[in-house]
Amino acid sequence: RKEVEQDPGPFNVPEGATVAFNCTYSNSASQSFFWYRQDCRKEPKLLMSVYSSGNEDGRFTAQLNRASQYISLLIRDSKLSDSATYLCVAQKAGSYQLTFGKGTKLSVIP
Amino acid sequence: DAGVIQSPRHEVTEMGQEVTLRCKPISGHNSLFWYRQTMMRGLELLIYFNNNVPIDDSGMPEDRFSAKMPNASFSTLKIQPSEPRDSAVYFCASSRTSGTYEQFFGPGTRLTVL
């Protein structure tokens, strides 16, 4: 079983829609979590960190459920520019290493 | 500020040839990571360095792969001999080791081994 698992998608949604991505992690030693965004044929870039209390950054909301080992990302009012692959990432306490999920592809359609 | 710099951006080579990928991390970052990305396996960590010292190379697929970091501003990933299954995008990333651990990725090297 992979350490970080995501639904690969693709998710095809119309502009303005709300879309949610889920991710599960298997290593209970994972301490920190992130969402990275990767555009087609580009490098991954940090979108946001995920905190236990949940956090919001504009149209993006991230949630963490440690008991269920589950992370989510909610995108409200989708824009065409949100089209990308979203990578769920886990980091063990005391380690600099990141473990990436394979990503969920989102296409926002006009 | 310059980001992580990688060269070459594209490499096409024949099976059996030696391939050397290069990376210059962001100045002041003391951790450096080499990743490989394929459709089948996603983004996999190959090796990472902290203060120029290899810390974990358990992701290096086999002895054909080697990585060095002779100084804080330069690292190489070498494949010798290359095989078609090595075809992938190879990313280098760097981060600080205090405060935020955000990793900044270079643009990647797209390697095709024929």
Side-chain angles (χ1 to χ4, degrees), chain B residues 55-106:
Chain B
I55 302 300
D56 186 348
D57 66 354
S58 59
M60 297 285 261
E62 49 198 270
D63 291 347
R64 298 184 296 106
F65 286 69
S66 62
K68 293 182 180 179
M69 192 164 185
N71 58 61
S73 59
F74 184 65
S75 177
T76 60
L77 177 69
K78 187 177 291 186
I79 308 172
Q80 165 64 13
S82 58
E83 296 182 3
R85 60 193 169 118
D86 301 331
S87 298
V89 181
Y90 291 81
F91 288 105
C92 175
S94 70
S95 74
R96 299 182 191 279
T97 50
S98 61
T100 175
Y101 294 134
E102 179 181 355
Q103 289 188 16
F104 294 82
F105 283 74

Side-chain angles (χ1 to χ4, degrees), chain A:
Chain A
R1 183 183 172 191
K2 280 191 70 74
E3 280 198 43
V4 178
E5 295 207 57
Q6 300 180 245
D7 181 341
F11 283 61
N12 299 315
V13 303
E15 274 186 286
T18 295
V19 60
F21 304 138
N22 303 320
C23 165
T24 57
Y25 61 96
S26 60
N27 191 333
S28 58
S30 296
Q31 185 72 19
S32 303
F33 304 91
F34 310 90
W35 284 99
Y36 273 67
R37 170 191 168 132
Q38 186 173 21
D39 292 309
C40 186
R41 301 180 77 86
K42 298 284 190 179
E43 70 273 22
K45 293 183 180 178
L46 179 66
L47 176 66
M48 59 196 301
S49 302
V50 186
Y51 303 120
S52 294
S53 54
N55 50 298
E56 192 173 302
D57 183 1
R59 298 181 293 107
F60 298 83
T61 301
Q63 296 275 357
L64 167 63
N65 183 321
R66 288 191 188 274
S68 302
Q69 295 187 190
Y70 171 96
I71 303 152
S72 66
L73 176 68
L74 183 78
I75 306 175
R76 291 179 299 278
D77 188 22
S78 300
K79 311 289 185 193
L80 295 176
S81 57
D82 294 334
S83 297
T85 296
Y86 291 83
L87 303 167
C88 179
V89 186
Q91 183 178 41
K92 291 179 210 171
S95 171
Y96 306 129
Q97 288 181 250
L98 301 180
T99 301
F100 286 79
K102 291 179 70 173
T104 298
K105 185 172 181 180
L106 170 67
S107 293
V108 181
I109 304 162

Side-chain angles (χ1 to χ4, degrees), chain B:
Chain B
D1 283 346
V4 175
I5 299 171
Q6 289 187 249
S7 65
R9 295 291 304 276
H10 301 272
E11 176 82 28
V12 179
T13 191
E14 292 189 345
M15 184 173 63
Q17 296 298 305
E18 178 180 296
V19 175
T20 300
L21 311 181
R22 297 173 176 80
C23 175
K24 176 178 168 52
I26 293 172
S27 177
H29 284 190
N30 45 8
S31 284
L32 183 140
F33 307 81
W34 281 101
Y35 291 90
R36 178 172 68 176
Q37 187 173 40
T38 61
M39 289 289 292
M40 287 294 294
R41 301 175 67 91
L43 198 60
E44 301 174 287
L45 178 67
L46 300 177
I47 185 171
Y48 85 93
F49 295 84
N50 191 38
N51 293 323
N52 312 340
V53 176
I55 302 300
D56 186 348
D57 66 354
S58 59
M60 297 285 261
E62 49 198 270
D63 291 347
R64 298 184 296 106
F65 286 69
S66 62
K68 293 182 180 179
M69 192 164 185
N71 58 61
S73 59
F74 184 65
S75 177
T76 60
L77 177 69
K78 187 177 291 186
I79 308 172
Q80 165 64 13
S82 58
E83 296 182 3
R85 60 193 169 118
D86 301 331
S87 298
V89 181
Y90 291 81
F91 288 105
C92 175
S94 70
S95 74
R96 299 182 191 279
T97 50
S98 61
T100 175
Y101 294 134
E102 179 181 355
Q103 289 188 16
F104 294 82
F105 283 74
T109 296
R110 188 170 296 273
L111 174 66
T112 302
V113 183
L114 303 174

